Amino acid sequence: HFYTIVRGVDERPVVADRPHKSISAETTFERDLHDLDALVGELEPLARQVEERLEKAGFSARAVVVKVKYEDFRTVTRRRT
């Protein structure tokens, strides 16, 4: 079983109707942001999107994660419970 799974062979049907484990919002900027104030200004609308999605789904957040991907594709994440 594992021999085929690690090679990408999996005949099980895809089940798309399971509950979401996370709610998120993300964006890719046309140009890299180097100014902290500009970055914070872009973060607020994303946080509002997540807030609206949480409210619509009737959920509250247990943790907040911020992920930043740099131009060299290095990724930094920070989580606060």
Side-chain angles (χ1 to χ4, degrees):
H1 170 77
F2 293 116
Y3 178 86
T4 57
I5 294 295
V6 299
R7 286 162 180 76
V9 179
D10 188 353
E11 300 300 328
R12 294 177 293 178
V14 174
V15 179
D17 293 331
R18 65 181 197 205
H20 292 285
K21 292 185 177 182
S22 66
I23 294 178
S24 65
E26 64 180 61
T27 190
T28 301
F29 301 112
E30 207 172 290
R31 283 177 259 152
D32 293 338
L33 299 179
H34 298 281
D35 178 41
L36 182 60
D37 290 334
L39 187 58
V40 170
E42 295 292 339
L43 184 60
E44 187 173 345
L46 291 172
R48 289 196 190 282
Q49 285 180 24
V50 172
E51 178 185 23
E52 290 170 6
R53 292 175 186 171
L54 284 167
E55 286 179 355
K56 184 177 179 182
F59 295 132
S60 60
R62 172 179 270 167
V64 175
V65 179
V66 175
K67 175 177 69 171
V68 177
K69 188 178 286 189
Y70 293 93
E71 63 187 7
D72 62 358
F73 297 101
R74 180 174 48 99
T75 303
V76 175
T77 61
R78 295 294 181 262
R79 175 188 175 107
R80 180 68 51 111
T81 301

